Amino acid sequence: MKVNFTNHPLIQHKISIMRDVNTGSKDFRELVSEVAMLMCYEVTRDLQLQSVEIETPITKTTVKMMPSCKMAVVPILRAGLGMVEGIVKLIPSIKIGHIGLYRDPQTLKPVEYYCKLPADIADREVLLVDPMLATGGSAAAAIKFLKDRGVKKIKSVHIIAAPEGVQVLNLQHPDVDVYCAALDEKLNEHGYIVPGLGDAGDRIFGTK
Ligand code: PRP
Ligand code: URA
């Protein structure tokens, strides 16, 4: 199984609070955003910088800076939306696309209902974000969407993953780097991650 862990102690602590059934929507939403921001730090570790001449108050010097941003963050609606703010805080010029998918509760297969991506998405590195990677069906479908539109570099970023979901992505999209902050035990008979944190979308938006 090929997966990158972002297991900083602060991330682990925040996920533990998210897992707690007594954590309400306001705190849950803030924690999703904070964890996404901390994960973004690790996920962008391979970012290529360019040398730029600047002048400090003391002297001229050459420094390293990000070239004009060629990245996009694409949340899988709804729950992925919760991860966008934290990433945009770190990379303010990143473009944002949206892919709307929901998982049919009977078949557990993803159903598409929306897609709006930056016009030049094919030229951008994409951070696909969704807090939960369960069967992997939603992320695999979203990745296919992006590839069909010419995207060549994709990182699939999830807060909690099930081994089943990681395996599906490794198998169907071996070229995509998968990131997660926690790799849980398994899926239950309803396709929920165990121990997991329940339905991330409902907990972010307070819909249950
Ligand atoms: C959840 C979650 C993922 C998907 C993961 O979305 O946010 O998108 O399920 O499951 P999978 O790996 O088995 O496809 P959900 O369908 O509950 O929609 P929501 O975000 O609108 O709540
Ligand atoms: N989607 C969620 O929000 N939680 C799970 O455990 C599985 C899919």
Side-chain angles (χ1 to χ4, degrees):
M1 206 161 26
K2 208 177 72 153
V3 62
N4 300 283
F5 276 112
T6 54
N7 59 352
H8 188 283
L10 283 174
I11 297 180
Q12 298 308 310
H13 173 75
K14 289 175 191 293
I15 292 176
S16 300
I17 304 172
M18 289 167 64
R19 289 186 192 277
D20 190 327
V21 69
N22 295 310
T23 299
S25 269
K26 176 185 170 290
D27 289 341
F28 189 88
R29 203 180 303 132
E30 285 171 6
L31 288 160
V32 170
S33 182
E34 287 169 8
V35 169
M37 180 156 59
L38 293 166
M39 288 185 78
C40 182
Y41 179 80
E42 282 300 327
V43 168
T44 54
R45 191 169 276 287
D46 63 348
L47 206 65
Q48 297 298 309
L49 299 179
Q50 66 185 24
S51 298
V52 180
E53 283 256 335
I54 61 149
E55 204 170 333
T56 75
I58 310 299
T59 183
K60 281 192 174 155
T61 187
T62 305
V63 294
K64 297 282 186 192
M65 294 183 107
M66 257 177 80
S68 64
C69 182
K70 273 295 179 192
M71 294 175 77
V73 57
V74 176
I76 300 179
L77 307 182
R78 290 173 303 166
L81 280 176
M83 297 177 71
V84 172
E85 188 198 20
I87 291 172
V88 171
K89 269 195 186 140
L90 286 190
I91 314 175
S93 53
I94 198 166
K95 292 281 196 294
I96 306 171
H98 296 88
I99 294 179
L101 291 174
Y102 71 86
R103 199 174 68 153
D104 183 289
Q106 257 76 50
T107 63
L108 300 185
K109 298 276 178 252
V111 183
E112 177 208 334
Y113 61 91
Y114 188 74
C115 179
K116 184 79 181 171
L117 300 167
D120 60 352
I121 192 73
D123 304 325
R124 294 182 175 271
E125 172 180 333
V126 171
L127 305 182
L128 178 72
V129 296
D130 190 327
M132 309 305 275
L133 180 70
T135 65
S138 304
I143 291 168
K144 180 163 185 319
F145 245 68
L146 294 168
K147 286 184 174 175
D148 288 348
R149 283 156 182 79
V151 180
K152 286 168 277 304
K153 183 150 190 207
I154 302 170
K155 291 176 177 172
S156 198
V157 185
H158 311 278
I159 296 179
I160 298 186
E164 291 89 334
V166 175
Q167 272 162 1
V168 163
L169 292 195
N170 284 174
L171 211 68
Q172 294 187 21
H173 300 290
D175 53 317
V176 170
D177 289 322
V178 183
Y179 290 81
C180 72
L183 185 63
D184 277 11
E185 254 174 76
K186 57 177 182 182
L187 297 177
N188 69 13
E189 63 278 21
H190 306 293
Y192 277 88
I193 299 176
V194 180
L197 47 69
D199 188 306
D202 282 339
R203 294 194 67 186
I204 291 170
F205 296 105
T207 40
K208 243 183 204 155

